[in-house]
Amino acid sequence: FQWKGKAGRLAAAAIMAATPLLFVMRTQVDAKGNVIPAWKAFWTLFGASNQLLAALTLLGITVWLVHIYRARWIWWVMGLPTVFMYVMSVWALGMILKAKMAPAVWWADPVPWVAVVLILLAALMLFEAILILLRAAKNGVQGPSQVLSPIS
């Protein structure tokens, strides 16, 4: 089966629509066992992931600016807000993970799994940014074209 043409577009749209629908149609319970609306179960995760997206955007812009300008002001203007946003977002995801893993059936709840995936992806992005910055410092590269190439 190839993902080309109209069949591929329809299959991709069905998968993208069905995935959130599966989570929304589940009966969600809080730590005390009370049934809660699905949106309420995911709302804190949505907020933390939204802030993480902002932090990762700042991280990418910071790395790019370091390569373009190589100025010390970038660390104060972009670096500090990036660190703050990144730490707070990952901390919030960790707190969500801690709270959701307390019940005995935590493995059946999708929220902690999504939080783990987001934390791992954020760590991967940070690792890649650090590698790019270290490679730039080591090679003395003047522009982003050489440094932002894939790792070989």
Side-chain angles (χ1 to χ4, degrees):
F1 178 74
Q2 293 186 3
W3 293 90
K4 295 182 180 178
K6 188 174 183 177
R9 287 192 303 268
L10 290 174
I15 291 170
M16 293 306 295
T19 303
L21 188 62
L22 288 173
F23 290 126
V24 170
M25 298 303 287
R26 291 181 72 239
T27 301
Q28 299 287 331
V29 294
D30 62 8
K32 296 178 184 176
N34 300 325
V35 176
I36 59 171
W39 68 266
K40 199 171 189 179
F42 288 98
W43 188 249
T44 56
L45 185 64
F46 172 75
S49 65
N50 193 29
Q51 293 302 309
L52 181 62
L53 178 62
L56 294 176
T57 302
L58 281 172
L59 180 66
I61 293 171
T62 302
V63 170
W64 177 71
L65 284 174
V66 165
H67 285 292
I68 296 299
Y69 294 107
R70 295 198 174 272
R72 192 172 293 246
W73 63 266
I74 295 167
W75 296 110
W76 295 105
V77 174
M78 293 295 294
L80 287 178
T82 299
V83 169
F84 178 76
M85 287 288 293
Y86 185 89
V87 169
M88 289 293 107
S89 300
V90 172
W91 177 78
L93 287 169
M95 297 307 293
I96 291 170
L97 187 61
K98 181 181 173 186
K100 290 290 187 174
M101 290 183 79
V105 291
W106 65 268
W107 50 269
D109 188 2
V111 173
W113 293 106
V114 174
V116 166
V117 168
L118 289 173
I119 291 170
L120 290 175
L121 290 174
L124 179 65
M125 288 285 295
L126 182 63
F127 179 72
E128 287 289 331
I130 290 170
L131 283 180
I132 289 170
L133 292 173
L134 289 176
R135 189 181 313 149
K138 183 178 116 184
N139 296 337
V141 177
Q142 295 301 317
S145 60
Q146 295 170 336
V147 178
L148 297 179
S149 63
I151 296 173
S152 53

